Amino acid sequence: EADIYQTPRYLVIGTGKKITLECSQTMGHDKMYWYQQDPGMELHLIHYSYGVNSTEKGDLSSESTVSRIRTEHFPLTLESARPSHTSQYLCASSGQWSYEQYFGPGTRLTVT
Amino acid sequence: GQQVMQIPQYQHVQEGEDFTTYCNSSTTLSNIQWYKQRPGGHPVFLIQLVKSGEVKKQKRLTFQFGEAKKNSSLHITATQTTDVGTYFCAGLSYNTDKLIFGTGTRLQVFP
């Protein structure tokens, strides 16, 4: 099993709050990803990074931002949460020469 | 943009029956991967196929990559209740290094 962690696992917050979802991996992987997934639905890539100080937006428009200051850490921030942000957020990583992705357990976010 | 579709969307089978999910890409792929996501869980990598026409087996699971490298299939022989979950294919095209996940097939197995 891969060593990739996400906190919190569950979060219920009110509209307008700023939140940061944490993701860390201990495998030294260069590539990291954030996906948004509604229950039982497909995964949508919202952000990715190929290394420190590298971040790109994914295919799904998102009002979130990310940073990659350290290889092992890839936090996602929502400046002002809205009910439309209610979803599961999955973090993943892969090695420099591999496209196999290891996923964290996810954060289930509910915005009321 | 690139799309990866899977059929069926849902499949309910009796334990012991076979199951197949099909994955179709709108563009030619350099490789394709398969993931399994248990209910309430996260996707877990199963396998990667790279060569045209490649077939790989993992116990009761058989994975195939089409000759044109635009489609793939996953076949499970004699399903068990532990096979329950959603199976996603994910394709990597030649002009991008981002995986595009398919729409997924949710498998339910009745004992």
Side-chain angles (χ1 to χ4, degrees):
Chain A
E1 194 70 17
D3 297 320
I4 180 163
Y5 309 97
Q6 289 186 245
T7 57
R9 293 291 310 278
Y10 304 92
L11 181 62
V12 180
I13 60 166
T15 298
K17 298 290 186 184
K18 176 181 178 179
I19 58 168
T20 296
L21 308 184
E22 301 288 348
C23 176
S24 295
Q25 50 94 7
T26 59
M27 297 169 285
H29 285 171
D30 290 317
K31 293 181 280 190
M32 296 189 74
Y33 312 85
W34 277 103
Y35 292 90
Q36 185 174 342
Q37 183 186 35
D38 292 327
M41 304 298 285
E42 62 201 279
L43 287 79
H44 294 286
L45 180 68
I46 51 175
H47 295 283
Y48 61 100
S49 167
Y50 289 153
V52 172
N53 295 325
S54 153
T55 62
E56 301 285 345
K57 287 188 179 293
D59 301 318
L60 180 68
S61 175
S62 173
E63 293 158 340
S64 56
T65 58
V66 292
S67 63
R68 190 86 183 277
I69 299 173
R70 303 197 315 267
T71 299
E72 63 272 20
H73 195 213
F74 191 40
L76 181 145
T77 298
L78 277 168
E79 290 293 333
S80 180
R82 298 208 305 261
S84 60
H85 295 137
T86 295
S87 189
Q88 173 167 250
Y89 292 84
L90 289 160
C91 180
S93 71
S94 62
Q96 184 178 7
W97 307 114
S98 168
Y99 292 100
E100 172 187 341
Q101 294 190 10
Y102 296 91
F103 282 83
T107 294
R108 293 186 186 274
L109 173 66
T110 302
V111 183
T112 60
Chain B
Q2 181 187 358
Q3 289 186 318
V4 180
M5 304 297 293
Q6 282 182 253
I7 55 171
Q9 189 175 6
Y10 302 100
Q11 183 85 58
H12 298 172
V13 300
Q14 203 74 34
E15 190 172 22
E17 291 181 336
D18 291 356
F19 159 78
T20 304
T21 172
Y22 300 91
C23 175
N24 294 286
S25 170
S26 58
T27 60
T28 304
L29 302 171
S30 63
N31 72 55
I32 195 155
Q33 301 176 12
W34 284 91
Y35 292 77
K36 176 184 178 181
Q37 185 175 21
R38 293 183 186 276
H42 57 275
V44 174
F45 174 82
L46 294 177
I47 207 159
Q48 177 174 279
L49 304 169
V50 179
K51 299 177 184 176
S52 168
E54 188 171 12
V55 177
K56 287 188 176 180
K57 293 191 175 187
Q58 288 180 349
K59 297 181 180 179
R60 295 178 295 104
L61 277 61
T62 302
F63 304 85
Q64 188 166 9
F65 201 7
E67 293 290 342
K69 301 185 76 174
K70 294 182 72 173
N71 56 70
S72 181
S73 65
L74 158 59
H75 179 82
I76 301 178
T77 303
T79 55
Q80 300 174 358
T81 54
T82 53
D83 295 326
V84 165
T86 301
Y87 293 85
F88 291 97
C89 63
L92 192 71
S93 67
Y94 284 101
N95 57 3
T96 177
D97 52 2
K98 292 180 293 181
L99 275 182
I100 304 298
F101 278 81
T103 47
T105 295
R106 186 188 301 177
L107 172 64
Q108 182 63 262
V109 180
F110 295 107

